[in-house]
Amino acid sequence: MLTQHVTIIKVQVQITAEMGSPVHHLLSLLLSSSLLPLTPVPGSGHLEVPASTSPVGDNMWINNQSSRDDFILLGFSDRPWLEMPLFVIFLVAYIFALFGNVSIILVSRLDPQLDSPMYFFVSNLSLLDLCYTTSTVPQMLVNLRGPEKTISYGGCVAQLYIFLALGSTECILLAIMALDRYTAVCKPLHYPIIMSHRRCIHMATGTWISGFANSLVQSTLTVVVPRCGHRVVDHFFCEVPALLKLACADTHVNEAELNVLGALLLLVPLTLILGTYVLIARAVMRIRSAESRWKAFNTCASHLLVVSLFYFTAISMYVRPPSSYSHDRGKIMALFYGIVTPTLNPFIYTLRNKDVKAALGRALTKEFWVKTG
C-alpha cells in the first residue's frame, strides 16, 4: 500500500504545435486523461500537475476526485509526520471546545444566579465558538486521517461563508461585552436600565445580522473571482486570503475591499474596546477599597484576555494584502483564532470567575436539576 502526499510541480511545455498536428492531439489527450490531470496556467506556457510516485495504488487521491469542481486542501501534506499528532491534538481540542462551550450555555440558561447581561453575552460567545470550531475542525480531522484531501465546491463555499460570518460576529460581540463591563463598573446605578434584557436581545440580534451580512459581501466577492481551474488550496480550510491566492485575475479590488471591511470589523471595535478599558481603569483607580478594585479588575481581565487572543491573530490575517499572504504563517494564525481561542474561551471564563465555577458546581449536584426541572 503506497501512501502518497501531494505536492505541486510545474512541467514546462513549449506549446508550438499547430492545430491538428500529432503533437497537438497528444497534448489534448494528456489534458483530458484522468491518469494525468494537468491544469494549464494561462499565459505562462506551463502545465500544473499533482506529483505522484506511481500511477497505481488505492491511495491515489488525485485520481479519485469525485468532481473536478472539488477543492484540494493541502493542509499539512508537505509535513506528513505532523498529520497524526495534529489529528490527536485537534480532536482533543474539539472535544474540550464542545464540552466547555456547551456547559457554559446550559449553566447560563438554567442557573438563575447567572441571569445577567454579562452571562447572556458570554453564552452568545460560547455559541459562536461552538459553531466556529464545528465549521472547520471536523473537515480537518477527515483530511488529516483520510487519503483524500478534498472538500466539495459547495462545502468550501459554505465553510467560507459560515466561518467568516461567525468571525465577524465575534468581533462586534466582544466590543458589546466591553460596553457591558464599562456600564457595570462606571455606571452601576443605571446598569439595569441601560443593559435591560430587551436591549441586550436587540444588540445581540444586530450583532449576528451584521456579521452574516458582512460575510455575504466578502465571501461572494471571493467566490466570483476567476481561478482558471486552480483548485489546490494551501490551507486546511477555505479562507479568504488562501482562496484569493488561486485567482488568475487582478485582485486589487478584492484586497482593497478586504482591508476596508477588515479595518471596520477589527480595528474599529478593538479601538472602542481599548478606549472603554481606559475609562474603566480610570474609574477603578478612584475606588478606595482595594478589595473592590480587585473585584472590578477581575471581572474585566477574562474579557481582555479573550480579546487579545482573538483580535491580534485575526488582524495579522485580514488587515494586510492577501498578495503578501504567507502559507505557513497563515496556517499558524488560523489555528489560533479558529481552534485555540474558541477552545480556551470557556476555560478562561470559568477558571477566573467564581460565579461560573459555583454555578458549574451546583449543576453537578442533584438538587440543581430537581429545582430547575
Side-chain angles (χ1 to χ4, degrees), residues 25-150:
H25 287 303
L26 177 59
L27 288 173
S28 300
L29 179 61
L30 287 173
L31 290 171
S32 61
S33 171
S34 60
L35 295 177
L36 190 57
L38 302 175
T39 302
V41 180
S44 65
H46 288 74
L47 299 175
E48 195 174 74
V49 55
S52 176
T53 58
S54 172
V56 294
D58 50 8
N59 280 335
M60 292 185 63
W61 59 272
I62 286 294
N63 293 336
N64 291 334
Q65 302 302 314
S66 58
S67 170
R68 289 187 178 274
D69 292 331
D70 291 353
F71 284 95
I72 301 168
L73 298 173
L74 290 184
F76 302 94
S77 297
D78 56 338
R79 297 177 179 88
W81 55 273
L82 269 178
E83 291 193 338
M84 177 56 75
L86 287 177
F87 175 84
V88 175
I89 293 171
F90 293 164
L91 179 60
V92 172
Y94 186 52
I95 292 173
F96 274 104
L98 290 178
F99 173 77
N101 287 299
V102 169
S103 298
I104 286 184
I105 293 171
L106 290 177
V107 170
S108 299
R109 294 285 296 175
L110 296 175
D111 196 310
Q113 296 189 29
L114 298 184
D115 186 16
S116 69
M118 174 182 174
Y119 296 109
F120 171 77
F121 291 122
V122 168
S123 62
N124 270 266
L125 180 64
S126 293
L127 178 60
L128 267 173
D129 289 337
L130 185 64
C131 299
Y132 212 44
T133 52
T134 303
S135 67
T136 58
V137 176
Q139 180 69 49
M140 289 167 53
L141 294 176
V142 171
N143 287 353
L144 283 171
R145 290 300 301 137
E148 294 191 0
K149 312 292 183 184
T150 60

Side-chain angles (χ1 to χ4, degrees), residues 172-186:
I172 305 173
L173 181 62
L174 290 174
I176 292 178
M177 293 173 72
L179 175 64
D180 171 71
R181 292 297 83 210
Y182 165 78
T183 309
V185 174
C186 300

